[in-house]
């Protein structure tokens, strides 16, 4: 597995995060900080699974844990906000990309995978690990990039206090 597309997807997300200027999310949606915290936490899970695949160890990948808001809020607090989260995401994404570069034929290793995020991503089956990383690259990261863009665009249209 080559990580070039994965790296480009992260670059787009990080450029959006660096641009800043995010508004408040709609009720029930994640804030920009929570989205970045989710991505960094998810990167850790993806890296653990990739390391297990490389070691030839059985592993199951479940993305369900990273979306719980109390854990995301704790990570936001721990990192001190968006700047700290961006630094963390840079580190976690770099680690994942480096591991993905090492996969080679191991990318075909089947891993029990559970991914559920809204209606855009719903997987509960054994997939070749490279396919799971491909879903992360082509579906998961772009979905959160879109969420970040909506938060910025919403901020530009938000009424100014006192007007």
């Amino acid at each position: 597995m080559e990580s070039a597309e994965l790296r480009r997807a992260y670059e787009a997300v990080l450029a959006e995060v660096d641009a800043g200027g995010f508004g408040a999310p709609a009720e029930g949606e994640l804030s920009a900080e929570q989205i970045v915290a989710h991505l960094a936490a998810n990167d850790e899970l993806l890296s653990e699974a990739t390391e297990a695949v490389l070691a030839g160890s059985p592993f199951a990948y479940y993305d369900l844990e990273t979306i719980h808001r109390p854990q995301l809020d704790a990570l936001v607090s721990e990192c001190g906000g968006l700047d700290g989260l961006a630094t963390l995401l840079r580190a976690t994404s770099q680690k994942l990309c480096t591991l993905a570069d090492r996969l080679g034929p191991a990318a075909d290793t089947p891993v029990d995978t559970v991914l559920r995020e809204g209606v855009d991503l719903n997987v509960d089956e054994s997939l070749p690990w490279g396919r799971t990383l491909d879903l992360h690259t082509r579906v998961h990261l772009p979905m959160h990039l879109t969420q970040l863009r909506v938060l910025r665009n919403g901020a530009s249209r938000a009424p100014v206090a006192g007007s």
Side-chain angles (χ1 to χ4, degrees):
M1 158 142 207
E2 176 130 358
S3 68
E5 273 192 65
L6 182 59
R7 289 178 194 280
R8 280 192 291 276
Y10 277 114
E11 287 170 9
V13 168
L14 286 163
E16 193 68 24
V17 170
D18 290 344
F22 301 105
E27 188 173 333
E29 298 294 321
L30 296 176
S31 69
E33 291 85 358
Q34 289 170 323
I35 292 168
V36 178
H38 162 72
L39 290 173
N42 188 58
D43 283 354
E44 291 293 339
L45 293 174
L46 290 165
S47 289
E48 286 175 18
T50 305
E51 287 170 336
V53 166
L54 287 167
S57 300
F59 198 86
Y61 168 72
Y62 298 93
D63 180 34
L64 302 175
E65 301 171 35
T66 61
I67 195 65
H68 297 304
R69 288 173 200 245
Q71 289 86 351
L72 295 181
D73 291 340
L75 187 54
V76 169
S77 177
E78 180 182 317
C79 288
L82 198 55
D83 288 343
L85 288 162
T87 299
L88 177 62
L89 183 58
R90 277 183 174 76
T92 60
S93 63
Q94 178 60 39
K95 178 181 178 181
L96 179 59
C97 290
T98 299
L99 288 168
D101 281 337
R102 293 178 41 208
L103 276 172
D108 293 331
T109 303
V111 174
D112 289 337
T113 302
V114 177
L115 298 166
R116 289 200 180 102
E117 249 182 276
V119 296
D120 295 324
L121 195 55
N122 188 355
V123 175
D124 187 356
E125 62 185 289
S126 182
L127 293 176
W129 186 241
R131 176 70 180 128
T132 300
L133 292 177
D134 185 59
L135 285 170
H136 180 64
T137 302
R138 295 178 189 270
V139 179
H140 189 235
L141 289 171
M143 181 180 74
H144 288 303
L145 176 60
T146 298
Q147 287 176 314
L148 290 168
R149 288 178 174 157
V150 166
L151 287 170
R152 178 193 328 291
N153 291 334
S156 65
R157 293 189 308 266
V160 176
S163 55

